[in-house]
Structures are given as structure tokens and as C-alpha cells.
Amino acid sequence: MNAAIKRRAFLAASALLAASTRFPAFAASKVAASEEHERRARGLIAQMSLAEKLGQMTQLAGGRQKALNSRIDDAALDRVRQGRVGSYLHVAGAEPLARLQRVAVEESRLGIPLLFAMDVVHGYRTIMPVPLGMAASFDPELARRAARVAAVEASVSGLHWTFAPMIDIARDARWGRVVEGAGEDPYLGSRMAEAQILGFQTDDLANKDVLLACAKHFGAYGAADGGRDYDRADISNETLHEVYLPPFQAAIAAGSGSFMTAFNELNGVPTTGNADLVRSLLRDQWGYQGLVVSDWNAILELVAHGAASDPVEAAALALRAGVDMDMTSETYADHLEKALAADQTLLPLVDEAVSRILHAKAGLGLFDDPFRFGEAEREKLVLGSQEHRAVAREAATRSIVLLRNEGKFLPLRSDARIALIGALADDASSTIGSWRARGQMDESITLRAALESRTVTYAPGVSPRDPDTSGIAAAVEAARNADVVLLVMGEDFDHSGEARSRSDIGLPGPQKELVDAIRATGKPIVAILMNGRPLALEEVLDGIPAVLETWFLGNESGPAIADVLFGEVSPAGRLPMGMPRRIGQVPQYYAHPPTGRPANPDLSKDSARYHDADIGPLFPFGHGLSYAEFRYSDLSVVPQGKGGSLAWKIAATVTNTSARDAEEVVQLYIRAPLAGLARPVKELRGFARLAIPAGDARRVTFTLDPEHFAVWRGGWQILPGSVEIMVGASSEDIRLHGRLENPEARAVGPGEIAGAARLTTVTVA
Ligand code: BGC
């Protein structure tokens, strides 16, 4: 990139930030009943047989994730004709889906259109960074644009509905699904949730190129015991409401058209059969109007949980809980009739569920034009377009986190002789992660490919899955002949994701041996991490001067990493989840309470720490370095208004004291110690990714109100007290301290959003 282009790109990024800080106030649910939709739903329900109603409540797999549409055979078409299916997942393609839709609307008795769904998680054909990586951008506006690209591509391919965003908070890196979410923090998680929903749905589902979003997996899937997928969550109500639920409240405020219930149980009740959680909390208290779908087979799995004695009971439990649509288990289709015969009070619940499904279809405009999604001609132009690739490049670059850079080792000199080592450097399949939709690995540029034009010797050394160490000798040889070693290490895409929990989150395979052999050459090393979860690498990274976290960055992986390595771009990503030193420290999170005996470096004192490990994570939440330096100054905390409209303007000046344009993620944390309660040492309540030209400064202002530091005590409560304000560059790099006094004491009204779900307004001057 020449200087003028770089400058233009930089200014464009600054303009974007200005837009993102004015993130719109989100309108209420966009699938809320309009009168016309309601009339249509009632009319149809009045005509429907029970079998047709149960059909609407049934979602079937039209294929497999790796063989889309493969189950759409004659028998499937007959079932559609009989009105015994409401939705298909794992289907795609403008032409095949138009044919399938035609059968539903022209050959079934009532002509109700089908809903077509897929997990379009971080891209459809153009693949973006995995969600944990995207969260590292600390850039919700970018996440919105990435979701927009996915929605344009998927809807042109005939899809109506994505099972995304996944908004489960995760504090245990052993859980394989941490890759799918935004990490450990409910404030960041809430912002990423609403941004993606807005990207998928826009502000109105009647717009062109939209996808119905699905907030999943409601309510505490990420709190699974021991990080084992599907396992129970046994957490307090305080933790549930303050940590795990906020992104779901933010998702409702952003208008998410659907929710998915989690597989696991929460405090003894499987979520898919949990009426307190779904019907009482989500529906009655939060007023959620959208569609609720079960997870894959989860209704039938109520039997395996032991919560239901047979599928008939399972069907009744899920219906009572408020689950409208059965994903794949066919328990509603096959067993609900028997449950209804035994208990007539279930009948209105069936009508309610069908009504919500019909409303979702109507909200997408499918009754007016069942073929408004899917355009075969445009599909050819839009999928993987240059414009979409440009967003993928930006997303990949902005998601990279510089974890360590001793002696300003990076950026590299352009004429450096490089040894590129590690099989992941050339693993195109891993670049596109595990939810790859219709992404193609041969459309990805690996790091090896991106470095081809430079003086680079590539040696794979070892691979994360193969015990073979015979490649180490050639890798050592390559290192000896180089000025610098780029040592790529981590997991492949299939080490994380669903059912991919691991008890050891060190380097898989013989990679540690490779690292030791390369280190022994004495050559300077840049460690380039690729992974879907934070790994525990204290020992592995010992003595390595520069470390980059690169996740799985999507199709534009290699060029994005190269841009950062050679200083075309100054990195500004931040960790959305702290990296432990070693496995025994997890679960670990920055927002923990201090305890009566806070961790003390002096081992002769009895304190809350491990004796055999240093205190805290290797790299904390919010951590990420830059090639520039920033000075933080002039914190002001100014109260505004009174009584019900009390607020505080918290402002700080951030100056780029270096000679290069760069970005900085300014973070606002609070601590609200309250009488009788042990509150977390810090809680994120605002952030801004600022583009600041060399030598220039920005004044960033956050507006907090008492709801931002409300606590859950059986309901949201604002309690009076002194609130500590911390502004800094990470959860452990606090540069400015202040305080405010909150005189208010009141309960937060129903309908109001409190805690981490509440958006903090940010302005930049
Ligand atoms: C996952 C969901 C996903 C669904 C459909 C399940 O196994 O838990 O996240 O949306 O499959 O693919």
C-alpha cells in the first residue's frame, strides 16, 4: 500500500468510527405482530388440521452440513405437499430452493411457504474471521458489516434464516464452542450480539437481502461444567442475570427474529423444557415476541436428560416451556398428538406456536412473495465478490492481536530473510473455521501464499494432528539460514467448535517439540498463533520476543497477517477472552470479585492464588499492543441531570505520541462496591476503537447512567454508592482513575435494560 492509499484508508476508518459510536438505538422486535400478519395467521390456523399445525412446528434437515440439499428426495417432497413440514435446514442454492418452495406454495393444501435455514455464522461464501476473532476487533460496526455481507450472499442463495449470532458468554477455554462467541465479557458480548443482528436483519426484515437472525443458545450454554460441551450449568441467579443473559437482552432490543434454546440444563432443568426460563422470563417478563426453535434433537433429548420419561412427555414439556419449533427430532410431529389427547390445555399453546412461526414467515414477506429470496443470476455475481472480499480483508486485519513485542521486534524489515515454519501456515482449510457454510478453502489465501513474493523458506516441521516429527530437521535447517523465524502454531479448525472440548489446551501434537528445536537455534522468533480458543502457552512462548494472535481469519487470512507483520497496518485487536498461563487456571475471568484475601505475590501470605503459577492470565482480557504509543490524560467525570435522568459524562484524552497513524481501543471499566456485596474488581462498560493520526489526540466521552451499574438481587436494583471509574488500554493496563457518587436507590423497571446489556453512548472529538 502506498502512503496516499494508506492515509485514505485510515481516514475512512476514522469516519467509520464516528458512525459506529453513534450506533443507532435499536427498535423493538421487527417481527412484532402487525394487524395484517395477525389476521392472516388466524385465518390459516382456523383452516389447519392438527397434522398441518404440527407440520409447521417441524424443522427437518434437508441435507447435511457437508452435503446440502442431499435429503430432498421424493419422500421429502411428498411430505411438503402434505403440509407436514414448516422449515428445512442444511439446504441452499437459489434454484433448488425455488423448486422446493414451489412445491410448498403450489402443491400443498394451504400453500404456506417454507423457511430455509442454515448456520451462516461468519460468512456464507466469503468467509470472515471466526466470531471469537471478530470480537477481538472490538469493532461492532465491522461485525455488522461482516454479517451484512453474509446476509446478502445467503439470501441471494435462497436462505431466509441463519442460526447466528451465537452469543453465549464463555469463561472456560476448554469449551470448544468459545470459538463461536464473543468471549468472556457480557458488555462486549452484548455489543457484538446487537451488531450482528442488525447486520443480518437490517432495521426492517422487509428490506432486500436480509436474513432472520437467531440468538443462541439461550440461556447459559456457555457455563457448562468443566467446559464439557452439553454439560450442566450450575450457576447463581446473580451470575445468570449479570453475566450470561445480558447478550440475550441486547439481542431482543436489536430485534432478533428468533431465539434458540440451549442443549444443556440450567440449575437442574434442561433449557428446552424450562418454562421458568423461556415462557416466564423470555416471553412474559422480557416480552419477547419472536420465534423460539429448539437446538438439534434437543426436544427428544429431554428423555436422555431424565426430565421426560418418553417422547410424549418430552413434547409436552418443550411446548409448555415455550419452544415453537422442533429442530429435527420430529417429537412434536410424532408425539404431540398423544400428549394433546391426554391434556387439552396444551391445544392453545400449539396455536400460539404456529402463530409465531407464521408471523416469522410473514415478517420476511414470504406470504406476499414466497420467492423474494434467491436470485440465481445475482447469486453468480454476488457470492465472493471483490466488494465482499474487501470487507473480509478489513475484518481479518482488524481482528489480529499483537500480544507481545519486546524491543519493538515487529514490524519486520521488508528485506528480512524469513523461515516460515509450521503446517498451519499453509492450512487453507483451517483459515475458514468450522462453520464454513459454502466457503471454499481454495478461495482462501494462506500465510504461506501471501508471503510467496518475499524471501521466504517454508518448512512445515510438524502438524497439530500428526505425531510424525521427521520434518523438524528441515525446519531447523531453514531457521538457521534465516534472519527471523515466523513460527506458526496452535490448533487446526477442528480442535474447537461443537463437541470439541479439550482437557489440555496446550499445543496439540508434537508442536512443542518443534518450538523447542527452533528456539535452540537461537534465531529470533515471531510466534503466530492460530486457534479457536485461548491456549495455555506460558512455557511455549517463554523467551519468544513477538507473539501475534491470529485466530482463524477467513479467506483473507494470509494477506491480513502479512500486512501486520510488515507494518502496512498497526495492529489494534484486543483479547475478548484472557489467555491463561496454564490449563489448571481455568475457568478464569477478569471480572471476578476480589475475595477476602486477594491474590498476593508473596507466597508466605495465604491468598487466593495457585502456589505453582504466577497470578492472573498470561495475557488479560482487553490486552493488545500497537506499533504506536498512546498517552491517556485529563480524565473528567461530570454529573448531568437529576433524579430519574441522572447521568455522568466520563471523558479522557488519548494522544498518539508516535510517528505513525494507528488505532487504539480505549476501554472504560467500573467497580461498584456496595454495602454488603462483593462486586467484581472491574466490569467493562464502554469501549471505542479510535483511529488517531500520528501526533494527534482524540477526546472520547462515555455517558453512563445509574442503570449501567445496577446489580441483580432477585431483580435489577440501583444501589447508592461510590463507583470507581477506570479508563485504560486493557483490563490490566488502567491509565486513569476517577470516581463518581451515585445517590439513587431504586428498582429498575421491567422493560428497562440494565447492567452489561445496556449500551454506553460514546462520542469522539
Ligand atoms: C448446534 C447449533 C446449530 C444446529 C444446526 C446444533 O448442533 O448446537 O448451534 O445451529 O446444530 O446446525
Side-chain angles (χ1 to χ4, degrees), residues 89-90 119 163 177 216-217 260 263 295-296 327 435 498:
L89 83 158
H90 295 339
D119 294 273
F163 299 128
R177 301 196 81 167
K216 72 183 188 184
H217 309 83
M260 185 187 294
F263 281 126
D295 204 341
W296 183 283
M327 186 192 290
W435 284 121
E498 186 173 348

Side-chain angles (χ1 to χ4, degrees), residues 635-707:
L635 180 71
S636 63
V637 179
V638 181
Q640 322 264 304
K642 280 202 188 78
S645 64
L646 188 60
W648 293 265
K649 295 263 185 222
I650 295 156
T653 299
V654 183
T655 308
N656 180 349
T657 56
S658 77
R660 63 174 300 154
D661 298 346
E663 297 185 6
E664 173 74 344
V665 178
V666 181
Q667 299 159 48
L668 167 70
Y669 294 89
I670 60 156
R671 179 163 190 231
L674 292 160
L677 304 177
R679 299 295 303 165
V681 290
K682 286 181 194 93
E683 294 177 87
L684 186 71
R685 282 296 179 272
F687 59 85
R689 183 166 172 149
L690 306 177
I692 311 181
D696 222 334
R698 293 284 178 272
R699 186 133 179 100
V700 53
T701 304
F702 302 94
T703 306
L704 288 182
D705 51 41
E707 281 78 0

